[in-house]
Every structure is written in C-alpha cells, then in structure tokens.
Amino acid sequence: MNMATRLNKLAAVVTGGGSGIGRAVCQRFAREGASVAIVDTNEDGVRQTLDGLQTNHPECGHHTFVTDVSSSESVEKLVQDVQERFPVIPTIVVNCAGITRDTFLLKMREKQFDDVMNVNLKGVFLVTQAMSRLMVENKVASGSIINVSSITGKVGNIGQCNYSASKAGVIGFTKTVALELGRFNIRCNAILPGWIETPMTQAVPDKVKAQILPHIPLRRIGRPEEIADVCMLLATNEYMTGTSIEVTGGIGL
Ligand SMILES: NC(=O)c1ccc[n+]([C@@H]2O[C@H](COP(=O)([O-])OP(=O)(O)OC[C@H]3O[C@@H](n4cnc5c(N)ncnc54)[C@H](O)[C@@H]3O)[C@@H](O)[C@H]2O)c1
C-alpha cells in the first residue's frame, strides 16, 4: 500500500488541533490523505494549523471548528457542523485538547482542579461519546479513538495532582470504551507522552529542563511528530484496542 495514502477517503477529528501535538497530528493525517477537522478553542491556532496543512489528495477538505471540549453544547454543535462540512462520517478521533493548572496539593484551589478535570477528562468523555454515537448510528465499518493521556497519569508528578488525576482517568476511560465499543469494531487506545516540546512545556524555565534531562533515558525532549507517528499507528492498526502506549524516551519504566 502507498504509505502516503493510508488515510485516503477517511476523515479525522483532532481536538487541540490548534497547537503542539494536535497540530502535528493534523499535519501527519493530512499528509496521509485524510480530511481533517481541526478543533480547538483557539481561533488563531486552528487557522494557522489549516494554513500549514499539506494535502496530497485533491478530494481532501480540511475544516476548522472553534469548540470548547468541556461544554456539551459546544461539542453537540461540533458534531452537527462536522456532518454538514464533511462528505464522510469521521472515523478517526484524536482527543488531544488539554490544559495544565499546576501547583502543589496544599495550595491548589478547587477551580484549578475542576478546570483541568473538565477539559482533560470530561472533554475526552464528551467528544468520545458524541463521535462514537455518530459512528454507531451510521454503521461505519471501523473506527479509531485515540486519547492523549500522559505518563504523569501512571507515575504522578509533583505540582500536578489535578493533571495526573485527569490523565489517569483517561487511561481507565479508554479501557472501558474499548470494552464497550469493540463489538462495533471501534477501537480506543491511549498514548502516554513524556516530555514533548510544545507551547505547553515551553514555559518551563531552561534551568528546570536541564534538571529533567538526566532523568530521561534517551537524554532528550520528544518532538510532537513523534506522538503523531504513534497516532498514525493507532489509526491504521486494526487489532489494537484498550492499550496505553508510552512515548517518553524511557521515563516511567
Ligand atoms: N507537551 C507535553 O510534554 C505533553 C506530555 C504529556 C501529555 N501531553 C498532552 O498532550 C496534549 C496536547 O498538549 P500540547 O503539549 O500540544 O499542548 P498545547 O498547549 O500546545 O496544545 C493544547 C491545545 O488544546 C487546546 N485547548 C485547551 N482547552 C481546550 C478546550 N476546552 N477545548 C478545545 N481545545 C482546548 C489549546 O487551545 C491548545 O491549542 C494535551 O492533552 C497534553 O496534556 C503533553
């Protein structure tokens, strides 16, 4: 099979597509022939992602959607808009939207905890439920849901009790969705990135980054494209479901 056409005639919904890892996933899927729904709260971000997409197939049409994944109304509108703008039902969903509100447990405010859970965990639930319903109602032949969790969901991280709890929740959610949707040939898997160079991590001072590097067995920070590679694997492999793949340079072993 031609490597560049593996997603030809398929449509993919990528939340958090306006930045970082989500943008790299949009770029990779577009290169592989998919039509991409670039979903994010950041209007400028989705526009920039769209402008940068390379398209190998004239029939590909990419669209941007300004959606808040933590709001059921916003997600319902997304589902309606996607059906209007794409000729096929999207069968690949990448839940990549995420936020951090870091501080120590002893200082954390309720809002910091709730905000992170609402985007990182409830957002994954809302988008997965809405897109799975659409796939099942339309009797698609197969589907792939890919949830971007984090290695902190497995090992924890100082200053991130809210974030690590949300990402651990995504792992459990992923396994249950895999069990429930397997009979519809819809797969659901999680990726646990380690430290990846994106706007989310760029704010971390160089001094702190230098302290982290010796603890990464591969001695470097990862690239968003290296997460997009694994999204491509999970979008195309037809016998993986319920898994959590660590892409960390060796952190968390
Ligand atoms: N960068 C890392 O080191 C790393 C490590 C592990 C996991 N992750 C996870 O990868 C995913 C992508 O992170 P990133 O590093 O690319 O960060 P990023 O900040 O570059 O991108 C996150 C995107 O999510 C969007 N977003 C935030 N809230 C949203 C909402 N309510 N609705 C829709 N979109 C929303 C933001 O606007 C942004 O464009 C996140 O889920 C993050 O937790 C990142």
Side-chain angles (χ1 to χ4, degrees), residues 15-23 39-42 45 67-71 95-100 118-120 148-152 163 167 191-201 221 224 227:
T15 76
S19 178
I21 294 170
R23 176 173 291 166
V39 179
D40 207 294
T41 43
N42 183 339
T67 302
D68 177 356
V69 299
S70 69
S71 151
N95 283 303
C96 197
I99 60 169
T100 54
N118 281 338
V119 176
N120 295 9
V148 180
S149 172
S150 167
I151 193 65
T152 62
Y163 183 82
K167 295 300 187 179
I191 300 176
L192 280 57
W195 189 281
I196 308 297
E197 188 68 38
T198 71
M200 186 179 270
T201 49
I221 290 172
I227 305 301

Side-chain angles (χ1 to χ4, degrees), residues 102-250:
D102 297 353
T103 192
F104 299 116
L105 167 70
L106 298 181
K107 292 184 174 174
M108 189 167 289
R109 284 176 284 112
E110 186 176 353
K111 182 168 170 23
Q112 289 172 300
F113 189 86
D114 287 346
D115 285 352
V116 167
M117 294 303 275
N118 281 338
V119 176
N120 295 9
L121 183 56
K122 185 180 154 194
V124 172
F125 157 67
L126 289 174
V127 173
T128 300
Q129 183 187 55
M131 294 308 303
S132 305
R133 280 180 175 157
L134 192 63
M135 286 190 242
V136 170
E137 280 162 16
N138 285 278
K139 299 186 169 57
V140 300
S142 69
S144 175
I145 297 158
I146 301 161
N147 296 327
V148 180
S149 172
S150 167
I151 193 65
T152 62
K154 180 184 165 195
V155 301
N157 193 25
I158 288 174
Q160 293 197 311
C161 68
N162 49 359
Y163 183 82
S164 55
S166 72
K167 295 300 187 179
V170 168
I171 297 168
F173 175 81
T174 299
K175 290 179 195 293
T176 301
V177 172
L179 290 171
E180 293 187 14
L181 298 187
R183 69 196 181 96
F184 301 107
N185 202 23
I186 298 173
R187 294 166 282 115
C188 185
N189 294 285
I191 300 176
L192 280 57
W195 189 281
I196 308 297
E197 188 68 38
T198 71
M200 186 179 270
T201 49
Q202 269 156 14
V204 176
D206 286 346
K207 201 173 71 178
V208 176
K209 283 186 188 168
Q211 287 168 356
I212 292 167
L213 274 180
H215 300 286
I216 304 175
L218 289 181
R219 297 291 190 276
R220 69 172 178 85
I221 290 172
R223 296 186 300 273
E225 295 74 21
E226 291 171 316
I227 305 301
D229 279 347
V230 181
C231 287
M232 189 59 202
L233 168 74
L234 293 174
T236 51
N237 181 289
E238 294 184 357
Y239 203 55
M240 292 173 77
T241 197
T243 58
S244 299
I245 303 182
E246 296 175 20
V247 190
T248 65

